[in-house]
Amino acid sequence: MDPELEYHLERLTRDYIAQGMTPSEALRRARLDFGGAPQIEEDLRDVRRPRWLADLWMDLAYAVRTFRRTPGFLACAVLTLALGIGANTAIFSLIDAVMLRPLAAPDPSRLIQVGRVLETGSPRVVSYPLFEYFRDRMTTISGMFAQMGIVNTITLDGVDEMLQGDAVSGDYYRVLGLKPAAGRLLTAADDAETAPVAVISYAYWRRRFGLSKSALGRNFRIGATELTIVGVEPPGFEGVERGRIRDFTTPLTVTERISGGNSQWKHAWDFNMLDDMARLKPGVSLERAQAEVEGLFAVWRQEKAAAIGNEFDRHRFQTERAVVFTAIAGLNRLRYRFSAPLQILMTIVALVLLLACANLSGLLLSRAASRQREISVRRALGAGNGRLARQFLAESLLLAALGGIAGVGLAQWFSRVLIAFMANGGDLPLAANPDWRVLTFTAAVSLAACLLAGFAPGWNASRGRLSAGLKQVRGSQNRFLGRALVVAQLALSMTLLIGASLFVRTLLKLYGQETGVRTGGVLTFNVSTKHHFPQERSEAIEKSIVERLSPLPNVVAASAAVMLPLGGGLWTQKISVEGHAFRQGDDQNTSINAIAPRYFAATGTELLAGRDFNNRDTGDSLPVALVNEAFARKFSGGQAPLGRHITMLGRTLEIVGLTQDARYSIREPAQATVYIPWFQQVNSEGKNRSQPTGFSYIVRVAKGDPMSLVRTVDAAIPQIDPALRMYRPHTFGDVLDESTLNERIMATLGAFFGVLALIIACLGIFGILAFQVSRRFRELGVRMALGASRSEVAGLVLGETVRLLLPGCALGVIVALGLTRFVRGMLFQVSPTDPFAYTAAAMCLVAAAIFAAAIPAWRAARIDPVVALRYE
């Protein structure tokens, strides 16, 4: 623009010279008429580009200069925002990893899962006949597959490895639309029981074979079954089940060979053990597929219900529905397990962010009060209300940007901690690394924080009076806004503390129950095998394992069971009880567990009457059973039913003992339970069933950490048979922790964020009171000069705290009453309006607020009247 302006100035000068002026006079006159070049350039720039962009750049530069002079304020503000933004980013990244991130397959939005549900709930597994029924009749899909997870010890090049895999039907890869990284993938032709083949994952190919194509054609063995590696999955594909590591995939029919010819899953219509997925045809909606599935399942349900003799079982089966679920994120069991805690945590951290923004807004408001003269000078020089507001928004934008950057780093650490918490000592392969969705969310949260934190100071600055600011007259607007922000912080803190109290109370209630077992000092583990043993050899192995464990040093009792206490539940079986008549429509199913001798000594459950099982209770001896107190209450009026008989699966069992109730689900009372000897366990065909892999082994130690036995047991198991391996060693305490995982997450993180909210609120109280003491320095000095005692002056400051606490607590209770009803399903024996939780939260908040107000009150009480009267 400079040459153009010079040209016009030169033309105007020549015109004046032509009129008879001297060159110097002509130049002076031209400059006066033309105007100042810098002003013209500014006007031209306003036309050529948005003015706000230049203003924003200048405001940010000014904010940087002012913040450099107050590094303490900058650090406090950025840390406050980083905590709020980091917590929100961490929880969102987990929600993204668990619930939102699509499956690594072409067009995953067309993938669906067809599952059974009982009235409402998450999808349940289906049977193979039901899978075939849907696959062969659905017209809205282009293909469908079934799959189930398997865990096996494989032998490759003479080395044993414990791997997880998937057994799938032949259309698995075609439906997913995947291409191999090497070799070929499974097809429908592989369903034929010819030469067994397998496909390995890209991660296993890299880890085990270094991406060498020599892996193709290699064989590995599972038991007596030899499988040939024919292909490698594409990179990035980790299976259709989120949060599960799997290394190989085999045809579903191979499992029949591995299990010794067991084909029950293939023919029994009610043997539900498979997940299924399908791909919708182009243009077909989810609603249309749902309508088709409902019609097909209605025919299936009517046909199968007629074959169910028991009225209760028939009625329960008829309540089942088939529902189509979107499978854009795959078979996502993690979603159904952790979605409720994550959504609640998202609400909690959103409240923490609001609290952080209110705190930062209060800090900026207090800072703006000390800049009142500067603001008035700006107004006197022509700055409008909007321009002043933008200055404060620019400062909050800079703080929010710094807080967002720090928050992303904090979120990475917090995400890893939370994933480790969710894994509960295991391995949960979730990638919570920031991607474009997480970074976009962080940017949006930071922008929202900027607007929330900068609104009050900007609004207050735009309402200030020019004369009052130039004269440095203290107005009441800052004081009112500051109090309002502190009340908001107290209300949010009260809400979060109430939520934390409810979750902590829930966890204490769960752990404080009488479970019927002693969880301390117990080691439990499972055994894997490379072979499917015949029944006689399997029973000998099982017996040898327990016998090898019993004489180990420090071991009190060793046993085994199909189901462990507190582990989630038992299987059920229809029974009849001697002397008890079931009414029409009664549920004849009772909980069953198969156990080894000394099971109750190992678990710490008391034997109340009769005898325990012993090694003479085998498949060839008289069938016997033990029952618990709940069984006695239900079938014999609470009396020990020794000598009575139970009939199930065509066999009659004599009751020989009565045991204390033991819970197998921490949230439910003990169910009527029948215990049978482990070698008398039979299947639906009445045949004995026994495999070392079917039991969990239990060892109780006299003292010390039971995990100290792991190395000894791990070395002892292969000595019984080289095909055996110990895996999943853990304690009963771990089992209890696993069953209360959601409650522990909510109690721990709820308490953490509650304490964090309390700290932020206390900082807000301290800041506003310290600011008010400094502003009222002379007034308080005059009061003391006129006779006010130090305690009275301190009481003035503490009274201000009480005036803030009362509305803050009341508002927090109102908000909590509205929000806590949504967490009713996460509570156990605790009401959302539990008075103890509300009282505890109020007491914590009052105590913390008084502590935060103590320092400003102490400073006020120590004001020297002489110094105060000379102030300003």
Side-chain angles (χ1 to χ4, degrees):
M1 287 185 287
D2 288 340
E4 185 176 355
L5 292 174
E6 289 176 2
Y7 168 76
H8 288 289
L9 185 60
E10 184 179 347
R11 285 290 305 268
L12 190 56
T13 302
R14 283 202 297 255
D15 289 343
Y16 282 127
I17 292 174
Q19 294 177 14
M21 294 183 183
T22 63
S24 60
E25 179 65 22
L27 180 60
R28 189 185 69 84
R29 182 67 179 272
R31 285 175 175 171
L32 288 174
D33 291 349
F34 192 72
Q39 287 82 2
I40 296 173
E41 290 181 3
E42 284 296 320
D43 292 339
L44 289 173
R45 289 191 183 98
D46 290 343
V47 173
R48 294 187 180 185
R49 70 183 185 191
R51 179 62 182 259
W52 66 267
L53 199 58
D55 290 345
L56 176 61
W57 179 254
M58 290 188 294
D59 289 342
L60 290 174
Y62 180 75
V64 170
R65 292 196 301 272
T66 57
F67 286 146
R68 286 175 61 185
R69 294 196 297 266
T70 55
F73 170 84
L74 179 64
C76 182
V78 171
L79 178 60
T80 300
L81 278 180
L83 289 171
I85 295 174
N88 277 268
T89 301
I91 299 299
F92 177 80
S93 65
L94 286 178
I95 290 178
D96 176 57
V98 171
M99 302 169 60
L100 304 179
R101 193 168 298 172
L103 198 65
D107 195 10
S109 62
R110 309 296 301 167
L111 296 173
I112 61 171
Q113 179 183 6
V114 181
R116 306 175 302 116
V117 296
L118 296 175
E119 298 182 357
T120 59
S122 59
R124 295 180 171 225
V125 290
V126 300
S127 64
Y128 189 79
L130 180 57
F131 155 71
E132 288 185 312
Y133 176 79
F134 282 131
R135 181 196 61 190
D136 298 339
R137 290 167 175 79
M138 288 184 68
T139 61
T140 55
I141 61 174
S142 59
M144 190 174 191
F145 67 83
Q147 74 101 35
M148 68 174 179
I150 54 177
V151 180
N152 283 100
T153 299
I154 75 163
T155 303
L156 177 63
D157 296 334
V159 179
D160 293 340
E161 292 183 79
M162 172 80 66
L163 299 182
Q164 293 193 74
D166 285 336
V168 303
S169 60
D171 279 343
Y172 179 79
Y173 293 107
R174 184 183 70 81
V175 171
L176 292 174
L178 300 178
K179 303 296 182 183
R184 71 171 180 89
L185 301 178
L186 301 180
T187 65
D190 293 311
D191 280 338
E193 296 182 23
T194 54
V197 295
V199 171
I200 59 176
S201 70
Y202 190 89
Y204 184 70
W205 186 38
R206 180 175 54 206
R207 183 177 76 246
R208 186 66 172 79
F209 299 100
L211 302 182
S212 170
K213 291 192 176 181
S214 63
L216 301 179
R218 300 277 292 275
N219 295 330
F220 67 87
R221 192 174 69 254
I222 302 179
T225 304
E226 197 89 14
L227 295 96
T228 302
I229 300 173
V230 296
V232 180
E233 294 173 342
F237 180 71
E238 299 175 347
V240 297
E241 188 174 341
R242 183 63 51 84
R244 176 173 171 265
I245 298 174
R246 22 90 63 207
D247 300 298
F248 66 93
T249 305
T250 67
L252 198 57
T253 50
V254 171
T255 61
E256 187 173 345
R257 295 190 181 199
I258 296 173
S259 62
N262 182 6
S263 61
Q264 182 184 11
W265 60 272
K266 210 171 183 180
H267 309 292
W269 67 268
D270 57 347
F271 194 75
N272 300 301
M273 59 178 292
L274 300 173
D275 292 298
D276 61 45
M277 284 179 65
R279 182 175 288 275
L280 293 175
K281 289 181 178 178
V284 175
S285 65
L286 198 68
E287 291 74 18
R288 181 179 165 189
Q290 174 65 49
E292 182 180 36
V293 164
E294 286 179 352
L296 290 172
F297 191 69
V299 176
W300 167 276
R301 188 172 54 215
Q302 182 178 3
E303 174 188 339
K304 302 304 180 185
I308 301 176
N310 181 266
E311 182 179 342
F312 180 88
D313 293 338
R314 185 167 60 252
H315 173 74
R316 183 169 59 181
F317 174 69
Q318 289 174 334
T319 63
E320 288 187 5
R321 297 181 301 115
V323 179
V324 173
F325 297 84
T326 179
I328 187 172
L331 302 172
N332 204 337
R333 291 182 176 84
L334 289 178
R335 175 175 184 170
Y336 299 106
R337 181 175 186 185
F338 293 118
S339 62
L342 287 176
Q343 289 173 16
I344 294 171
L345 285 174
M346 195 73 224
T347 303
I348 290 174
V349 296
L351 293 177
V352 170
L353 180 61
L354 282 175
L355 183 60
C357 290
N359 183 273
L360 179 58
S361 187
L363 291 174
L364 289 173
L365 198 62
S366 300
R367 185 170 177 269
S370 63
R371 299 167 59 190
Q372 200 168 27
R373 183 177 179 84
E374 171 202 334
I375 294 169
S376 297
V377 170
R378 284 175 175 269
R379 291 169 62 87
L381 294 176
N385 293 338
R387 185 68 186 83
L388 292 172
R390 288 200 303 271
Q391 170 65 45
F392 283 93
L393 284 175
E395 292 178 5
S396 63
L397 177 61
L398 179 61
L399 293 174
L402 294 175
I405 294 171
V408 169
L410 187 65
Q412 296 306 297
W413 170 80
F414 186 60
S415 295
R416 289 193 293 269
V417 171
L418 191 51
I419 289 174
F421 207 143
M422 293 164 64
N424 196 39
D427 191 7
L428 186 59
L430 281 180
N433 299 321
D435 56 10
W436 68 268
R437 286 185 299 272
V438 174
L439 294 178
T440 301
F441 174 83
T442 304
V445 169
S446 300
L447 181 61
C450 158
L451 295 175
L452 289 170
F455 173 77
W459 179 79
N460 188 69
S462 66
R463 289 172 57 86
R465 291 185 299 170
L466 178 60
S467 60
L470 290 173
K471 296 176 182 178
Q472 293 187 328
V473 176
R474 308 285 187 351
S476 62
Q477 291 175 353
N478 284 344
R479 191 174 180 184
F480 173 78
L481 276 177
R483 286 176 172 177
L485 289 171
V486 172
V487 168
Q489 293 179 61
L490 290 171
L492 291 171
S493 299
M494 183 69 178
T495 302
L496 292 171
L497 286 172
I498 290 172
S501 298
L502 291 173
F503 291 129
V504 171
R505 292 261 294 158
T506 290
L507 188 64
L508 293 176
K509 289 280 188 180
L510 285 169
Y511 276 92
Q513 295 182 98
E514 175 55 52
T515 60
V517 298
R518 290 187 288 119
T519 57
V522 176
L523 171 70
T524 178
F525 62 91
N526 296 86
V527 171
S528 68
T529 175
K530 297 184 292 182
H531 303 303
H532 187 91
F533 294 101
Q535 179 185 330
E536 295 77 10
R537 176 59 181 155
S538 180
E539 291 185 359
I541 289 174
E542 292 158 351
K543 186 177 179 181
S544 297
I545 292 174
V546 174
E547 289 178 346
R548 184 67 63 93
L549 297 173
S550 298
L552 290 177
N554 199 35
V555 170
V556 174
S559 187
V562 172
M563 306 297 292
L564 292 177
L566 312 175
L570 298 164
W571 87 85
T572 61
Q573 186 65 53
K574 185 167 64 177
I575 69 169
S576 63
V577 181
E578 180 184 1
H580 179 84
F582 286 98
R583 293 191 296 261
Q584 187 74 13
D586 280 354
D587 182 9
Q588 296 184 26
N589 291 294
T590 299
S591 299
I592 309 293
N593 196 8
I595 62 174
R598 294 190 56 75
Y599 168 79
F600 299 108
T603 61
T605 303
E606 186 178 355
L607 183 65
L608 302 176
R611 70 170 180 88
D612 195 357
F613 297 140
N614 55 51
N615 289 330
R616 293 188 297 275
D617 295 314
T618 65
D620 298 325
S621 64
L622 177 69
V624 293
L626 287 91
V627 298
N628 65 348
E629 294 173 287
F631 183 97
R633 288 191 297 271
K634 182 175 181 179
F635 295 109
S636 62
Q639 301 298 317
L642 302 181
R644 295 173 64 178
H645 294 84
I646 301 169
T647 301
M648 68 176 187
L649 294 174
R651 296 196 314 162
T652 300
L653 296 80
E654 181 182 350
I655 300 174
V656 297
L658 176 69
T659 73
Q660 177 189 5
D661 283 340
R663 295 195 182 205
Y664 286 79
S665 175
I666 191 66
R667 279 182 165 267
E668 298 175 2
Q671 304 295 315
T673 305
V674 176
Y675 297 95
I676 58 176
W678 59 344
F679 295 153
Q680 292 183 0
Q681 182 186 4
V682 299
N683 59 22
S684 60
E685 299 172 349
K687 298 178 181 178
N688 284 14
R689 54 181 183 180
S690 180
Q691 272 296 307
T693 56
F695 291 96
S696 294
Y697 295 88
I698 312 162
V699 183
R700 175 171 291 279
V701 298
K703 58 183 178 180
D705 183 8
M707 293 297 288
S708 61
L709 282 176
V710 169
R711 296 183 64 178
T712 303
V713 175
D714 189 40
I717 296 299
Q719 295 177 8
I720 299 170
D721 192 293
L724 303 178
R725 293 291 183 275
M726 173 193 187
Y727 80 103
R728 288 189 64 213
H730 51 285
T731 67
F732 257 12
D734 295 333
V735 176
L736 180 58
D737 288 345
E738 174 67 22
S739 61
T740 59
L741 180 57
N742 284 356
E743 289 79 9
R744 288 191 300 113
I745 289 175
M746 296 310 303
T748 303
L749 296 183
F752 171 76
F753 288 120
V755 172
L756 179 62
L758 197 61
I759 293 172
I760 294 175
C762 289
L763 289 175
I765 293 174
F766 173 80
I768 190 67
L769 292 180
F771 173 71
Q772 288 184 7
V773 168
S774 65
R775 302 273 284 183
R776 299 172 64 186
F777 187 76
R778 190 173 186 208
E779 173 204 336
L780 295 174
V782 170
R783 288 177 179 272
M784 296 184 71
L786 294 176
S789 65
R790 296 187 184 277
S791 61
E792 288 174 336
V793 172
L796 285 174
V797 179
L798 293 176
E800 181 71 18
T801 306
V802 174
R803 284 190 291 272
L804 296 174
L805 270 172
L806 291 178
C809 289
L811 187 59
V813 168
I814 294 172
V815 175
L817 289 173
L819 293 180
T820 52
R821 58 192 179 94
F822 295 108
V823 301
R824 186 184 299 271
M826 293 284 297
L827 304 179
F828 178 76
Q829 294 182 0
V830 177
S831 168
T833 58
D834 181 55
F836 182 87
Y838 283 71
T839 303
M843 292 176 64
C844 287
L845 188 59
V846 169
I850 292 176
F851 176 78
I855 296 178
W858 179 79
R859 289 181 60 189
R862 292 181 60 84
I863 290 176
D864 187 344
V866 176
V867 176
L869 291 174
R870 293 174 180 169
Y871 186 62
E872 295 181 347

